Amino acid sequence: MGSTSIEGASSADRWYRIITTACALSIPLLLGFIALQVFVGAWPAFEKFGLSFLTGSTWDVGAGEFGAAPMIYGTVVSSVLALVLATPLALGVAIFLSEFAPPWLRQPVAFLVDLLAAIPSVVYGLWGIFVLLPVLREDVMPFLATTLGLGNTPLFSGPAYGNSMLAASVILAIMILPYISAVAREVLMAVPRAQREAALALGATRWEMIRDAVVPYARSGIIGGIILGLGRALGETMAVTMLIGNRAELSASLFAPGYTLASVIANEFAEASTEFHTAALMACGAVLLVVTLMVNMIARWLVGRVAREGR
Amino acid sequence: MATTSRPTGQQRAFAERTGRSLGRRRVTNAVMLGIMYVAAFAATLPLVFILVHLAREGASSLDLAFFTRMPKPVGETGGGMANAITGTLILIAIAAAIGLPIGIGAGLHLAEQRGTRLANAVRFLSDVLNGLPSIVMGIFAWQVLVRPIGHFSALAGGIALGVMMIPLVTRTTEEMIRLVPTSLREAALALGYARWRTSLSIVLRTALPGIVTGALVAVARIAGETAPLIFTAFGNQFWSTALDQPMAALPLQIYSYATSPFDDWHRLAWAGALVLIALVLIISLVARFATRSRFTAGHD
Amino acid sequence: MTSLIMPPAPPVAPPPADAPESASVAPAVRVAVRQLDAYYGANRTVRGVSLDFLDAQVTAIIGPSGCGKSTLLRCLNRMHETIIGARTEGEVMLDGDDIYARGVNPIEVRRRIGMVFQRPTPFPTMSIRDNVAAGFQSLGRRAPDRRTIDEIVEKSLVQAALWNEVKDRLRESATGLSGGQQQRLCIARALATSPRVLLLDEPTASLDPISTQKVEELLYELRGSVTVVIVTHNMQQAARVSDRTAFMLMGDLVEVSPTRKLFTAPEDSRTEAYITGRFG
Ligand SMILES: Nc1ncnc2c1ncn2[C@@H]1O[C@H](COP(=O)(O)OP(=O)(O)OP(=O)(O)O)[C@@H](O)[C@H]1O
Ligand SMILES: [Mg+2]
């Protein structure tokens, strides 16, 4: 490096350089500042409750007792379930669009899936309340519990209110599908032609080519896309808040209402009246921040690896 | 384009397969193809459901009053969301005033200082910032701008949205500027243009259509954000354009009406959602159109 | 070897072509390069080059790919240093002033020296007229008024043999021109600010034969008023358009002589090997 740029001789150029560099620097600084502020706000809660903030299962505002285990549990379960529901579909769409779709169908389908990502979270919530919940309550839940006879297993037991972990997971699945499929599609398209042609030349059918030549090549990128989707699901707030039932209880049943880190903040923050309540909610935000930061970094690293190899 | 294929595992897989009958492999192929079609169909289904339902419910409660009137108290029918629509536009303007200059500046830096350690770190961290949950942005803005001042304000909400815009604008700006050939930059420098003038009046201007598209996409994304506003802009039942006071916003209004127990408000929530979606979709479509005309314009 | 299109190469070359070049008296030295080294990082791609470019003459630089022709050319108007990690050592005198001296503003240097690249580089957001006038845009208050600029635009386009083709569409986008027209537009753009020196880096490499011929004719016209330095891969072209030719090899300047002499009786055996096609 060591570029002794004589270019900077003019002061306007120096200012240009300083300003654009400052803009670029503002990104890491903002990220650091955000993390710092959230932790500063959360500090009273961490100080008072220590590790039991993460492990305690009682969230009682009146008694001033704050254990976030139900929220952490709810966040993880709803996100993972959403991932389980969304991934096969998203990969199906991605493979369809990158390998199978006739050209006239490719554009419109890709556009519709992209539009799915453009719909605001609160609109998903609205639709969830008035369309999804009744369907879950009256059709899906009875079907799972009675018709399939799963009602005795802990996962599907209890009354079917509608507002539930299941409802949150379904809406999350719909919301993260376009993210996963967009990344997967990009990664699949980056697979070199030679890789495909080599497989076809060996006498593989289209499907065999995809399974044995294309997908393995793109694997880490696809996993990155799925983890990116996980990051979205973990932090998704409005639709979940409107559908999950907002109750801080640990329950194995997907039919039972739950809470997530994001939804407890959305639901209680504006009304929090004690210092510890506010701090506890900010602590939930801090936990969410750390988890999503890690998840995103892993995902970016995986996706970046495929892009680098593909070149 | 040096591609390293991985023949060993692959060839083994094909060798095994030759043992199987061709017919069965054909059937598998056809079945998987069918499954892909079904997946694509199923994935677009929710969108169709949502849009159809939204159009039906929203259109029936949408009228002129919705755009011109203020919300009515519980019990009274009618009323509109004039304040919320105005509020959303104001919040978008604040966010754009923050997100666009910083994002474009950072994008210029990333494109021009390609390969430096700072640029690589900033690029990575801007992706990370982009992945931060919007609710975290909300509590950050509250902690910094609401708590010390003592009351909710539109400015805090707009700033939270603006911060969310920065990484989006940064990355599209960088990508669009990279599409501008280096030779153009060199030609300007060789003519005696200063570096800043080369960057702004030649490179940035050439990339402008693409950057506008990126900016529109970013605006469309933040326009519907609710979580960062709940405890910053907070919402307001009255007409207010003061930036240091709580301000109504379309997504906030939809949220509070949707979770209320009143049918009348539910209808207004649907109408609000229709307006919000229309806003977002129009912006997205304009963006898409802008990109397309950019690529055709270059060729004739 | 000499062209059918052009008269034999050096019509203005001094008769005693065999005399050592330092003894040439008539034309003044416009650009003098002294012990110039150019680096990309630690890579020294131009090695101790000393060379004079004479006023109102066309000098061609030839040599195999990668020998440092473009790099040398880019050192003459301080474009080399715009690449990250690139730097130079040594002196380049423009009319007796070292352009690498302390306090010299590279922008001023580049304004006085025009440059044309291998690929046409019209600014796509500007009209044909604004492209030609682009060199004035950065002058701010020092720029001539609109009328004067319009006159200069016309004069430059005429000079670049493009005026007749574009005079009715000056307001249209420059991207609508053909490749050859775009390249002549770039030459007009470089000429508009009346530079003392014009640098051309393989200006016809991406052009068809007819456009190439037009550009060569144009260079021939320019001889006598501007100092022209042209890098070319095409030895016939060098023979056709230049008064003097410099041959470079792996960063070294091997030989510089009047063009006819270099192509008929080169002093260095490496030059002879190259022009007879034994390597490169
Ligand atoms: N931007 C750069 N960064 C690093 N090295 C470079 C760069 N540009 C050129 N080089 C190296 O410098 C040497 C000389 O390059 P230069 O472009 O001057 O050659 P040239 O004689 O113009 O070749 P050509 O006839 O192919 O244009 C080459 O070995 C090349 O690899
Ligand atoms: Mg070259």
PDB file of all heavy atoms in Angstrom, chain A residues 186-218:
ATOM      1  N   GLU A 186     -29.253 -16.853  -5.809  1.00  0.00           N
ATOM      2  CA  GLU A 186     -28.016 -16.180  -6.206  1.00  0.00           C
ATOM      3  C   GLU A 186     -26.832 -17.147  -6.199  1.00  0.00           C
ATOM      4  O   GLU A 186     -26.027 -17.188  -7.124  1.00  0.00           O
ATOM      5  CB  GLU A 186     -27.750 -15.058  -5.204  1.00  0.00           C
ATOM      6  CG  GLU A 186     -27.302 -13.758  -5.816  1.00  0.00           C
ATOM      7  CD  GLU A 186     -27.432 -12.661  -4.789  1.00  0.00           C
ATOM      8  OE1 GLU A 186     -26.483 -12.459  -4.046  1.00  0.00           O
ATOM      9  OE2 GLU A 186     -28.522 -12.038  -4.711  1.00  0.00           O
ATOM     10  N   VAL A 187     -26.772 -17.940  -5.130  1.00  0.00           N
ATOM     11  CA  VAL A 187     -25.656 -18.867  -4.990  1.00  0.00           C
ATOM     12  C   VAL A 187     -25.723 -19.944  -6.078  1.00  0.00           C
ATOM     13  O   VAL A 187     -24.707 -20.305  -6.677  1.00  0.00           O
ATOM     14  CB  VAL A 187     -25.677 -19.503  -3.588  1.00  0.00           C
ATOM     15  CG1 VAL A 187     -24.613 -20.567  -3.483  1.00  0.00           C
ATOM     16  CG2 VAL A 187     -25.472 -18.440  -2.533  1.00  0.00           C
ATOM     17  N   LEU A 188     -26.919 -20.434  -6.356  1.00  0.00           N
ATOM     18  CA  LEU A 188     -27.056 -21.469  -7.377  1.00  0.00           C
ATOM     19  C   LEU A 188     -26.650 -20.945  -8.749  1.00  0.00           C
ATOM     20  O   LEU A 188     -26.020 -21.640  -9.541  1.00  0.00           O
ATOM     21  CB  LEU A 188     -28.504 -21.969  -7.437  1.00  0.00           C
ATOM     22  CG  LEU A 188     -28.943 -22.860  -6.277  1.00  0.00           C
ATOM     23  CD1 LEU A 188     -30.433 -23.146  -6.359  1.00  0.00           C
ATOM     24  CD2 LEU A 188     -28.163 -24.162  -6.289  1.00  0.00           C
ATOM     25  N   MET A 189     -26.998 -19.677  -8.999  1.00  0.00           N
ATOM     26  CA  MET A 189     -26.657 -19.120 -10.303  1.00  0.00           C
ATOM     27  C   MET A 189     -25.152 -18.910 -10.422  1.00  0.00           C
ATOM     28  O   MET A 189     -24.624 -18.808 -11.525  1.00  0.00           O
ATOM     29  CB  MET A 189     -27.372 -17.792 -10.509  1.00  0.00           C
ATOM     30  CG  MET A 189     -28.863 -17.931 -10.317  1.00  0.00           C
ATOM     31  SD  MET A 189     -29.825 -17.565 -11.771  1.00  0.00           S
ATOM     32  CE  MET A 189     -30.504 -16.008 -11.363  1.00  0.00           C
ATOM     33  N   ALA A 190     -24.467 -18.822  -9.268  1.00  0.00           N
ATOM     34  CA  ALA A 190     -23.018 -18.607  -9.307  1.00  0.00           C
ATOM     35  C   ALA A 190     -22.263 -19.908  -9.576  1.00  0.00           C
ATOM     36  O   ALA A 190     -21.062 -19.886  -9.801  1.00  0.00           O
ATOM     37  CB  ALA A 190     -22.548 -17.992  -7.992  1.00  0.00           C
ATOM     38  N   VAL A 191     -22.973 -21.044  -9.566  1.00  0.00           N
ATOM     39  CA  VAL A 191     -22.302 -22.316  -9.838  1.00  0.00           C
ATOM     40  C   VAL A 191     -21.860 -22.313 -11.305  1.00  0.00           C
ATOM     41  O   VAL A 191     -22.658 -22.048 -12.196  1.00  0.00           O
ATOM     42  CB  VAL A 191     -23.245 -23.502  -9.571  1.00  0.00           C
ATOM     43  CG1 VAL A 191     -22.595 -24.806 -10.008  1.00  0.00           C
ATOM     44  CG2 VAL A 191     -23.622 -23.549  -8.110  1.00  0.00           C
ATOM     45  N   PRO A 192     -20.577 -22.570 -11.552  1.00  0.00           N
ATOM     46  CA  PRO A 192     -20.073 -22.476 -12.923  1.00  0.00           C
ATOM     47  C   PRO A 192     -20.752 -23.469 -13.864  1.00  0.00           C
ATOM     48  O   PRO A 192     -21.111 -24.569 -13.455  1.00  0.00           O
ATOM     49  CB  PRO A 192     -18.583 -22.828 -12.779  1.00  0.00           C
ATOM     50  CG  PRO A 192     -18.290 -22.827 -11.346  1.00  0.00           C
ATOM     51  CD  PRO A 192     -19.559 -22.975 -10.597  1.00  0.00           C
ATOM     52  N   ARG A 193     -20.879 -23.049 -15.082  1.00  0.00           N
ATOM     53  CA  ARG A 193     -21.466 -23.903 -16.117  1.00  0.00           C
ATOM     54  C   ARG A 193     -20.759 -25.237 -16.221  1.00  0.00           C
ATOM     55  O   ARG A 193     -21.381 -26.284 -16.377  1.00  0.00           O
ATOM     56  CB  ARG A 193     -21.312 -23.198 -17.459  1.00  0.00           C
ATOM     57  CG  ARG A 193     -22.516 -22.490 -17.950  1.00  0.00           C
ATOM     58  CD  ARG A 193     -22.159 -21.898 -19.307  1.00  0.00           C
ATOM     59  NE  ARG A 193     -22.634 -22.795 -20.358  1.00  0.00           N
ATOM     60  CZ  ARG A 193     -23.822 -22.646 -20.932  1.00  0.00           C
ATOM     61  NH1 ARG A 193     -24.611 -21.683 -20.554  1.00  0.00           N
ATOM     62  NH2 ARG A 193     -24.211 -23.465 -21.879  1.00  0.00           N
ATOM     63  N   ALA A 194     -19.428 -25.168 -16.140  1.00  0.00           N
ATOM     64  CA  ALA A 194     -18.631 -26.383 -16.327  1.00  0.00           C
ATOM     65  C   ALA A 194     -19.074 -27.469 -15.352  1.00  0.00           C
ATOM     66  O   ALA A 194     -19.131 -28.653 -15.698  1.00  0.00           O
ATOM     67  CB  ALA A 194     -17.155 -26.073 -16.122  1.00  0.00           C
ATOM     68  N   GLN A 195     -19.421 -27.025 -14.133  1.00  0.00           N
ATOM     69  CA  GLN A 195     -19.841 -27.972 -13.110  1.00  0.00           C
ATOM     70  C   GLN A 195     -21.096 -28.728 -13.553  1.00  0.00           C
ATOM     71  O   GLN A 195     -21.211 -29.939 -13.386  1.00  0.00           O
ATOM     72  CB  GLN A 195     -20.109 -27.172 -11.825  1.00  0.00           C
ATOM     73  CG  GLN A 195     -20.360 -27.993 -10.606  1.00  0.00           C
ATOM     74  CD  GLN A 195     -19.072 -28.518 -10.006  1.00  0.00           C
ATOM     75  OE1 GLN A 195     -17.985 -28.188 -10.452  1.00  0.00           O
ATOM     76  NE2 GLN A 195     -19.201 -29.382  -9.016  1.00  0.00           N
ATOM     77  N   ARG A 196     -22.040 -27.981 -14.136  1.00  0.00           N
ATOM     78  CA  ARG A 196     -23.276 -28.618 -14.605  1.00  0.00           C
ATOM     79  C   ARG A 196     -23.001 -29.512 -15.795  1.00  0.00           C
ATOM     80  O   ARG A 196     -23.469 -30.646 -15.888  1.00  0.00           O
ATOM     81  CB  ARG A 196     -24.277 -27.561 -15.074  1.00  0.00           C
ATOM     82  CG  ARG A 196     -24.851 -26.731 -13.997  1.00  0.00           C
ATOM     83  CD  ARG A 196     -25.432 -25.452 -14.609  1.00  0.00           C
ATOM     84  NE  ARG A 196     -25.239 -24.357 -13.688  1.00  0.00           N
ATOM     85  CZ  ARG A 196     -26.136 -24.017 -12.786  1.00  0.00           C
ATOM     86  NH1 ARG A 196     -27.280 -24.627 -12.734  1.00  0.00           N
ATOM     87  NH2 ARG A 196     -25.893 -23.051 -11.936  1.00  0.00           N
ATOM     88  N   GLU A 197     -22.227 -28.968 -16.739  1.00  0.00           N
ATOM     89  CA  GLU A 197     -22.023 -29.708 -17.981  1.00  0.00           C
ATOM     90  C   GLU A 197     -21.255 -30.993 -17.740  1.00  0.00           C
ATOM     91  O   GLU A 197     -21.521 -32.016 -18.383  1.00  0.00           O
ATOM     92  CB  GLU A 197     -21.315 -28.812 -18.997  1.00  0.00           C
ATOM     93  CG  GLU A 197     -22.293 -27.835 -19.613  1.00  0.00           C
ATOM     94  CD  GLU A 197     -21.632 -26.703 -20.363  1.00  0.00           C
ATOM     95  OE1 GLU A 197     -20.388 -26.679 -20.423  1.00  0.00           O
ATOM     96  OE2 GLU A 197     -22.374 -25.847 -20.877  1.00  0.00           O
ATOM     97  N   ALA A 198     -20.328 -30.928 -16.778  1.00  0.00           N
ATOM     98  CA  ALA A 198     -19.574 -32.138 -16.463  1.00  0.00           C
ATOM     99  C   ALA A 198     -20.528 -33.243 -16.027  1.00  0.00           C
ATOM    100  O   ALA A 198     -20.402 -34.400 -16.441  1.00  0.00           O
ATOM    101  CB  ALA A 198     -18.558 -31.849 -15.362  1.00  0.00           C
ATOM    102  N   ALA A 199     -21.526 -32.881 -15.190  1.00  0.00           N
ATOM    103  CA  ALA A 199     -22.464 -33.885 -14.698  1.00  0.00           C
ATOM    104  C   ALA A 199     -23.328 -34.414 -15.835  1.00  0.00           C
ATOM    105  O   ALA A 199     -23.506 -35.635 -15.983  1.00  0.00           O
ATOM    106  CB  ALA A 199     -23.343 -33.275 -13.603  1.00  0.00           C
ATOM    107  N   LEU A 200     -23.832 -33.504 -16.663  1.00  0.00           N
ATOM    108  CA  LEU A 200     -24.697 -33.949 -17.766  1.00  0.00           C
ATOM    109  C   LEU A 200     -23.916 -34.838 -18.728  1.00  0.00           C
ATOM    110  O   LEU A 200     -24.433 -35.830 -19.244  1.00  0.00           O
ATOM    111  CB  LEU A 200     -25.263 -32.731 -18.510  1.00  0.00           C
ATOM    112  CG  LEU A 200     -26.308 -31.939 -17.731  1.00  0.00           C
ATOM    113  CD1 LEU A 200     -26.755 -30.725 -18.539  1.00  0.00           C
ATOM    114  CD2 LEU A 200     -27.517 -32.802 -17.393  1.00  0.00           C
ATOM    115  N   ALA A 201     -22.646 -34.488 -18.929  1.00  0.00           N
ATOM    116  CA  ALA A 201     -21.825 -35.274 -19.849  1.00  0.00           C
ATOM    117  C   ALA A 201     -21.633 -36.691 -19.335  1.00  0.00           C
ATOM    118  O   ALA A 201     -21.432 -37.627 -20.101  1.00  0.00           O
ATOM    119  CB  ALA A 201     -20.477 -34.604 -20.049  1.00  0.00           C
ATOM    120  N   LEU A 202     -21.693 -36.845 -18.011  1.00  0.00           N
ATOM    121  CA  LEU A 202     -21.544 -38.182 -17.438  1.00  0.00           C
ATOM    122  C   LEU A 202     -22.848 -38.964 -17.486  1.00  0.00           C
ATOM    123  O   LEU A 202     -22.943 -40.050 -16.939  1.00  0.00           O
ATOM    124  CB  LEU A 202     -21.061 -38.079 -15.984  1.00  0.00           C
ATOM    125  CG  LEU A 202     -19.572 -37.767 -15.826  1.00  0.00           C
ATOM    126  CD1 LEU A 202     -19.262 -37.439 -14.373  1.00  0.00           C
ATOM    127  CD2 LEU A 202     -18.741 -38.947 -16.297  1.00  0.00           C
ATOM    128  N   GLY A 203     -23.878 -38.385 -18.078  1.00  0.00           N
ATOM    129  CA  GLY A 203     -25.124 -39.121 -18.242  1.00  0.00           C
ATOM    130  C   GLY A 203     -26.122 -38.928 -17.122  1.00  0.00           C
ATOM    131  O   GLY A 203     -27.037 -39.732 -16.945  1.00  0.00           O
ATOM    132  N   ALA A 204     -25.977 -37.861 -16.342  1.00  0.00           N
ATOM    133  CA  ALA A 204     -26.918 -37.616 -15.249  1.00  0.00           C
ATOM    134  C   ALA A 204     -28.214 -37.006 -15.794  1.00  0.00           C
ATOM    135  O   ALA A 204     -28.199 -36.309 -16.807  1.00  0.00           O
ATOM    136  CB  ALA A 204     -26.289 -36.662 -14.244  1.00  0.00           C
ATOM    137  N   THR A 205     -29.321 -37.296 -15.121  1.00  0.00           N
ATOM    138  CA  THR A 205     -30.560 -36.586 -15.448  1.00  0.00           C
ATOM    139  C   THR A 205     -30.469 -35.189 -14.821  1.00  0.00           C
ATOM    140  O   THR A 205     -29.558 -34.909 -14.028  1.00  0.00           O
ATOM    141  CB  THR A 205     -31.792 -37.305 -14.877  1.00  0.00           C
ATOM    142  OG1 THR A 205     -31.675 -37.335 -13.454  1.00  0.00           O
ATOM    143  CG2 THR A 205     -31.897 -38.717 -15.418  1.00  0.00           C
ATOM    144  N   ARG A 206     -31.420 -34.306 -15.173  1.00  0.00           N
ATOM    145  CA  ARG A 206     -31.389 -32.962 -14.618  1.00  0.00           C
ATOM    146  C   ARG A 206     -31.364 -32.987 -13.095  1.00  0.00           C
ATOM    147  O   ARG A 206     -30.584 -32.297 -12.460  1.00  0.00           O
ATOM    148  CB  ARG A 206     -32.620 -32.174 -15.089  1.00  0.00           C
ATOM    149  CG  ARG A 206     -32.635 -31.852 -16.545  1.00  0.00           C
ATOM    150  CD  ARG A 206     -31.906 -30.538 -16.833  1.00  0.00           C
ATOM    151  NE  ARG A 206     -32.681 -29.362 -16.467  1.00  0.00           N
ATOM    152  CZ  ARG A 206     -33.737 -28.915 -17.143  1.00  0.00           C
ATOM    153  NH1 ARG A 206     -34.150 -29.562 -18.207  1.00  0.00           N
ATOM    154  NH2 ARG A 206     -34.363 -27.838 -16.764  1.00  0.00           N
ATOM    155  N   TRP A 207     -32.232 -33.800 -12.524  1.00  0.00           N
ATOM    156  CA  TRP A 207     -32.313 -33.850 -11.066  1.00  0.00           C
ATOM    157  C   TRP A 207     -31.021 -34.351 -10.454  1.00  0.00           C
ATOM    158  O   TRP A 207     -30.533 -33.829  -9.465  1.00  0.00           O
ATOM    159  CB  TRP A 207     -33.494 -34.723 -10.630  1.00  0.00           C
ATOM    160  CG  TRP A 207     -33.447 -35.039  -9.174  1.00  0.00           C
ATOM    161  CD1 TRP A 207     -33.262 -36.259  -8.601  1.00  0.00           C
ATOM    162  CD2 TRP A 207     -33.551 -34.111  -8.082  1.00  0.00           C
ATOM    163  NE1 TRP A 207     -33.227 -36.157  -7.244  1.00  0.00           N
ATOM    164  CE2 TRP A 207     -33.410 -34.839  -6.899  1.00  0.00           C
ATOM    165  CE3 TRP A 207     -33.735 -32.720  -8.018  1.00  0.00           C
ATOM    166  CZ2 TRP A 207     -33.462 -34.242  -5.653  1.00  0.00           C
ATOM    167  CZ3 TRP A 207     -33.783 -32.119  -6.762  1.00  0.00           C
ATOM    168  CH2 TRP A 207     -33.656 -32.878  -5.604  1.00  0.00           C
ATOM    169  N   GLU A 208     -30.441 -35.375 -11.086  1.00  0.00           N
ATOM    170  CA  GLU A 208     -29.176 -35.906 -10.564  1.00  0.00           C
ATOM    171  C   GLU A 208     -28.070 -34.867 -10.666  1.00  0.00           C
ATOM    172  O   GLU A 208     -27.227 -34.743  -9.772  1.00  0.00           O
ATOM    173  CB  GLU A 208     -28.788 -37.178 -11.332  1.00  0.00           C
ATOM    174  CG  GLU A 208     -29.655 -38.354 -10.956  1.00  0.00           C
ATOM    175  CD  GLU A 208     -29.594 -39.482 -11.984  1.00  0.00           C
ATOM    176  OE1 GLU A 208     -28.923 -39.321 -13.014  1.00  0.00           O
ATOM    177  OE2 GLU A 208     -30.238 -40.509 -11.749  1.00  0.00           O
ATOM    178  N   MET A 209     -28.113 -34.109 -11.742  1.00  0.00           N
ATOM    179  CA  MET A 209     -27.122 -33.049 -11.888  1.00  0.00           C
ATOM    180  C   MET A 209     -27.254 -32.054 -10.728  1.00  0.00           C
ATOM    181  O   MET A 209     -26.250 -31.668 -10.116  1.00  0.00           O
ATOM    182  CB  MET A 209     -27.334 -32.320 -13.223  1.00  0.00           C
ATOM    183  CG  MET A 209     -26.546 -31.033 -13.352  1.00  0.00           C
ATOM    184  SD  MET A 209     -27.138 -30.009 -14.708  1.00  0.00           S
ATOM    185  CE  MET A 209     -28.433 -29.080 -13.938  1.00  0.00           C
ATOM    186  N   ILE A 210     -28.505 -31.686 -10.426  1.00  0.00           N
ATOM    187  CA  ILE A 210     -28.707 -30.725  -9.342  1.00  0.00           C
ATOM    188  C   ILE A 210     -28.243 -31.289  -8.015  1.00  0.00           C
ATOM    189  O   ILE A 210     -27.528 -30.642  -7.245  1.00  0.00           O
ATOM    190  CB  ILE A 210     -30.202 -30.329  -9.278  1.00  0.00           C
ATOM    191  CG1 ILE A 210     -30.541 -29.504 -10.511  1.00  0.00           C
ATOM    192  CG2 ILE A 210     -30.506 -29.563  -8.013  1.00  0.00           C
ATOM    193  CD1 ILE A 210     -32.017 -29.376 -10.741  1.00  0.00           C
ATOM    194  N   ARG A 211     -28.635 -32.553  -7.766  1.00  0.00           N
ATOM    195  CA  ARG A 211     -28.355 -33.136  -6.461  1.00  0.00           C
ATOM    196  C   ARG A 211     -26.860 -33.404  -6.284  1.00  0.00           C
ATOM    197  O   ARG A 211     -26.316 -33.204  -5.207  1.00  0.00           O
ATOM    198  CB  ARG A 211     -29.151 -34.435  -6.294  1.00  0.00           C
ATOM    199  CG  ARG A 211     -29.259 -34.871  -4.844  1.00  0.00           C
ATOM    200  CD  ARG A 211     -29.891 -36.220  -4.750  1.00  0.00           C
ATOM    201  NE  ARG A 211     -29.168 -37.204  -5.548  1.00  0.00           N
ATOM    202  CZ  ARG A 211     -29.585 -38.458  -5.728  1.00  0.00           C
ATOM    203  NH1 ARG A 211     -30.720 -38.856  -5.203  1.00  0.00           N
ATOM    204  NH2 ARG A 211     -28.878 -39.294  -6.448  1.00  0.00           N
ATOM    205  N   ASP A 212     -26.208 -33.859  -7.336  1.00  0.00           N
ATOM    206  CA  ASP A 212     -24.833 -34.315  -7.178  1.00  0.00           C
ATOM    207  C   ASP A 212     -23.792 -33.285  -7.591  1.00  0.00           C
ATOM    208  O   ASP A 212     -22.642 -33.368  -7.177  1.00  0.00           O
ATOM    209  CB  ASP A 212     -24.604 -35.601  -7.980  1.00  0.00           C
ATOM    210  CG  ASP A 212     -25.495 -36.724  -7.481  1.00  0.00           C
ATOM    211  OD1 ASP A 212     -25.728 -36.765  -6.264  1.00  0.00           O
ATOM    212  OD2 ASP A 212     -25.967 -37.515  -8.317  1.00  0.00           O
ATOM    213  N   ALA A 213     -24.170 -32.327  -8.440  1.00  0.00           N
ATOM    214  CA  ALA A 213     -23.154 -31.384  -8.923  1.00  0.00           C
ATOM    215  C   ALA A 213     -23.435 -29.958  -8.487  1.00  0.00           C
ATOM    216  O   ALA A 213     -22.519 -29.251  -8.053  1.00  0.00           O
ATOM    217  CB  ALA A 213     -23.071 -31.448 -10.446  1.00  0.00           C
ATOM    218  N   VAL A 214     -24.684 -29.531  -8.585  1.00  0.00           N
ATOM    219  CA  VAL A 214     -24.969 -28.119  -8.326  1.00  0.00           C
ATOM    220  C   VAL A 214     -25.087 -27.826  -6.832  1.00  0.00           C
ATOM    221  O   VAL A 214     -24.403 -26.957  -6.298  1.00  0.00           O
ATOM    222  CB  VAL A 214     -26.250 -27.688  -9.078  1.00  0.00           C
ATOM    223  CG1 VAL A 214     -26.596 -26.259  -8.732  1.00  0.00           C
ATOM    224  CG2 VAL A 214     -26.064 -27.854 -10.573  1.00  0.00           C
ATOM    225  N   VAL A 215     -25.956 -28.582  -6.156  1.00  0.00           N
ATOM    226  CA  VAL A 215     -26.211 -28.296  -4.745  1.00  0.00           C
ATOM    227  C   VAL A 215     -24.949 -28.482  -3.881  1.00  0.00           C
ATOM    228  O   VAL A 215     -24.651 -27.626  -3.052  1.00  0.00           O
ATOM    229  CB  VAL A 215     -27.404 -29.119  -4.217  1.00  0.00           C
ATOM    230  CG1 VAL A 215     -27.520 -28.990  -2.711  1.00  0.00           C
ATOM    231  CG2 VAL A 215     -28.678 -28.661  -4.895  1.00  0.00           C
ATOM    232  N   PRO A 216     -24.188 -29.556  -4.081  1.00  0.00           N
ATOM    233  CA  PRO A 216     -22.978 -29.682  -3.258  1.00  0.00           C
ATOM    234  C   PRO A 216     -22.032 -28.500  -3.435  1.00  0.00           C
ATOM    235  O   PRO A 216     -21.434 -28.028  -2.483  1.00  0.00           O
ATOM    236  CB  PRO A 216     -22.324 -30.972  -3.774  1.00  0.00           C
ATOM    237  CG  PRO A 216     -23.425 -31.741  -4.372  1.00  0.00           C
ATOM    238  CD  PRO A 216     -24.392 -30.742  -4.927  1.00  0.00           C
ATOM    239  N   TYR A 217     -21.943 -28.020  -4.658  1.00  0.00           N
ATOM    240  CA  TYR A 217     -21.049 -26.902  -4.921  1.00  0.00           C
ATOM    241  C   TYR A 217     -21.511 -25.659  -4.177  1.00  0.00           C
ATOM    242  O   TYR A 217     -20.715 -24.870  -3.673  1.00  0.00           O
ATOM    243  CB  TYR A 217     -21.017 -26.619  -6.425  1.00  0.00           C
ATOM    244  CG  TYR A 217     -19.943 -25.661  -6.841  1.00  0.00           C
ATOM    245  CD1 TYR A 217     -18.704 -26.131  -7.231  1.00  0.00           C
ATOM    246  CD2 TYR A 217     -20.171 -24.291  -6.833  1.00  0.00           C
ATOM    247  CE1 TYR A 217     -17.705 -25.260  -7.604  1.00  0.00           C
ATOM    248  CE2 TYR A 217     -19.173 -23.418  -7.202  1.00  0.00           C
ATOM    249  CZ  TYR A 217     -17.941 -23.904  -7.591  1.00  0.00           C
ATOM    250  OH  TYR A 217     -16.960 -23.032  -7.961  1.00  0.00           O
ATOM    251  N   ALA A 218     -22.844 -25.476  -4.139  1.00  0.00           N
ATOM    252  CA  ALA A 218     -23.399 -24.260  -3.552  1.00  0.00           C
ATOM    253  C   ALA A 218     -23.744 -24.439  -2.080  1.00  0.00           C
ATOM    254  O   ALA A 218     -24.318 -23.548  -1.478  1.00  0.00           O
ATOM    255  CB  ALA A 218     -24.646 -23.844  -4.340  1.00  0.00           C
TER     256      ALA A 218
END
